[in-house]
Amino acid sequence: MCLGIPGKVVEIYEAAGARMGKVDFDGIVKEVCLAYLPEIQVGDYTIVHVGFAITRLDETSARETLTMFHRMGILEEELNAGEEVSP
Amino acid sequence: MKYLDEFRDPELAGRLFEEIRRLTTRPWALMEVCGGQTHSIIRNGIDQLLPPAIELIHGPGCPVCVTPLEVIDRALAIAARPEVTFCSFGDMLRVPGSSQDLFRVKSAGGDVRVVYSPLDAVKLAQQLPERQVVFFGIGFETTAPANAMAVVQAERLGLHNFSMLVSHVLVPPAISAIMESPQNRVQAFLAAGHVCSVMGTWQYEPLVSRYRVPIVVTGFEPLDVLEGVRRAIAQLEEGRAELENAYPRAVRPEGNRPAQQVLEQVFEVTDRNWRGIGPIPGSGWRLRERYRAFDAEERFAVGHIRTDESPLCHSGEVLQGLLKPNQCPAFGKECTPRTPLGATMVSSEGACAAYFQYGRFIPVGAVEASR
Ligand code: SF4
């Protein structure tokens, strides 16, 4: 229930006075309330909790953690050059 | 290392494990706050792949697990009323109250419905004007913006047949309570990423300085968890205590401001009893006076219901990190997901359920002794 799912905004409209939209979760499209992300546009990524988009997840920052890991891994390889690594 | 292949990027995961192993020189106890993280850790065997010196203590961040028994009993009393259509997230249906659960109320003819979003319950109230529609508003700061908006929406639509049974809980006061417990062993926290997506990270600065404890905002994917562990261990080994954001792709320091505004408008801080843990001052939200008309506890006068926990269940110790689920005598015997004795066996985010689902029947100490 409390795990957020990332998805892509594919449609934005107004319903009963609230900013709503359709979000595509890897093929499954659901109605989502976008009231908390007034700036989000069609094509943007977001994390959705119980039908509400709570945070933007732009493509650049979506990749940031992975890039950081990679950087860290490479860094760590450099550090481990000639150093003993326990199995 | 049979689990390593299951990581999205096994090579990267391997490097992270190596880096953590290289950093670790003595025993450390970390708590992952969120049940989603616990699930990720047990599913991927992260706790078994980490150096034995690192202990992961599973935190109280499963909203279903900590919703107090008296609130469950109030929910059951409301749901059983003939005029009520009771809406809840699916996880709550099998949570045991004192004598039954919502599922049984439903089988006995109660109108209990599972909804995906609280707005579905608002819609239902519009469609069923002759019914009293009640939504079970539980959760941490992640679900609270949705529940707050449902109340705002119901007011805007002038719905007199919608109300909410509110039992929200908050993470920062729980961290304080853990740090102040005389039995506390936690030396660093992996904070729940999505809670911080809503609330920002600023609430954690005072905790870091007051308790000199590292707090690393961490995501839910296995690699996110590993990165959180790596950063926490680095801080501990270097004698630092800082607030770090290891989940910047979803967490901004200020959080979601529009959501915080609506939360402030609809909810006020209250003391909250956590199931299995006990009362924690200022650790919950309830509806403000202005929205009391939407408070199900007042509408159905169930505020008097008070109950006691079953003495068989050790979920309190599990939620406080004093006991691992498989150390509970009832685990996997009297207590299974089909016949749960405690809430931690019900929700997919509960530690007991995660241990059961992934076959962790033997305590870690026993595994080590047999090696
Ligand atoms: S295994 Fe069951 S009885 Fe034991 S602590 Fe967990 S929920 Fe309670």
Side-chain angles (χ1 to χ4, degrees), chain B residues 312-318 323-332 334-336 339-346 351-353:
Chain B
L312 287 174
C313 177
H314 289 264
S315 65
E317 284 141 280
V318 170
L323 201 73
K324 294 280 187 275
N326 51 21
Q327 292 168 326
C328 166
F331 175 82
E334 295 92 330
C335 183
T336 69
T339 55
L341 291 181
T344 43
M345 188 54 100
V346 177
C352 296

Side-chain angles (χ1 to χ4, degrees), chain B residues 126-150:
Chain B
Q126 281 179 285
Q127 291 160 4
L128 307 170
E130 75 292 353
R131 304 283 298 163
Q132 280 292 332
V133 176
V134 182
F135 180 73
F136 201 175
I138 62 138
F140 280 91
E141 294 95 324
T142 37
T143 41
N147 295 348
M149 185 62 85

Side-chain angles (χ1 to χ4, degrees), chain A residues 36 54 56-57 61 69 76, chain B residues 19 145 227 249-250 252 256:
Chain A
Y36 293 131
I54 55 154
R56 218 186 52 240
L57 198 71
S61 58
F69 285 153
E76 190 261 335
Chain B
E19 171 71 4
E227 174 62 5
R249 68 177 190 272
R252 332 262 177 267
N256 184 321

Side-chain angles (χ1 to χ4, degrees), chain B residues 262-329:
Chain B
V262 175
L263 288 169
E264 176 65 29
Q265 176 191 328
V266 174
F267 294 130
E268 64 189 7
V269 170
T270 182
D271 296 343
R272 181 74 69 208
N273 198 7
W274 293 50
R275 186 170 197 173
I277 296 178
I280 304 178
S283 67
W285 275 328
R286 66 167 175 201
L287 291 171
R288 280 191 187 278
E289 192 61 51
R290 167 164 162 22
Y291 292 101
R292 275 301 141 73
F294 295 97
D295 189 336
E297 277 189 40
E298 306 232 331
R299 187 170 298 187
F300 301 101
V302 288
H304 62 281
I305 295 178
R306 300 253 180 288
T307 33
D308 285 322
E309 191 70 66
S310 146
L312 287 174
C313 177
H314 289 264
S315 65
E317 284 141 280
V318 170
L319 287 164
Q320 290 168 80
L322 303 174
L323 201 73
K324 294 280 187 275
N326 51 21
Q327 292 168 326
C328 166

Side-chain angles (χ1 to χ4, degrees), chain A residues 1-6 15-18 20 25 30-33 35-38 47-58 61-66 68-70 72-74 76-77 79-80 83-87, chain B residues 8-9 11-12 15-16 18-19 21-22 36 63-64 89 91 116-119 123 138-139 142-143 145-146 148-150 153 156-157 194 197-198 220 223-224 227 230-231 246-252 256 258-259 262 349:
Chain A
M1 169 205 88
C2 151
L3 261 193
I5 319 162
M20 303 293 291
F25 305 98
K30 266 192 175 283
E31 181 171 64
V32 164
C33 179
Y36 293 131
L37 294 177
I47 291 177
V48 176
H49 274 267
V50 295
F52 282 71
I54 55 154
T55 186
R56 218 186 52 240
L57 198 71
D58 60 86
S61 58
R63 293 209 183 99
E64 192 179 324
T65 309
L66 265 181
M68 184 176 66
F69 285 153
H70 278 294
M72 198 282 308
I74 289 159
E76 190 261 335
E77 257 181 358
L79 282 174
N80 271 325
E83 206 178 297
E84 198 203 331
V85 181
S86 57
Chain B
R8 192 182 55 201
D9 185 340
E11 197 199 322
L12 193 49
R15 282 178 185 173
L16 277 163
E18 259 168 44
E19 171 71 4
R21 230 171 275 139
R22 192 184 64 78
V64 174
F89 297 126
D91 321 39
Y116 165 66
S117 160
L119 287 186
K123 258 189 215 153
I138 62 138
T142 37
T143 41
M149 185 62 85
Q153 193 79 320
R156 194 188 294 154
L157 294 166
H194 291 165
S197 297
V198 173
F220 304 87
L223 291 176
D224 290 326
E227 174 62 5
R230 184 189 72 81
R231 292 203 194 194
Y247 194 39
R249 68 177 190 272
V251 175
R252 332 262 177 267
N256 184 321
V262 175
E349 287 153 27

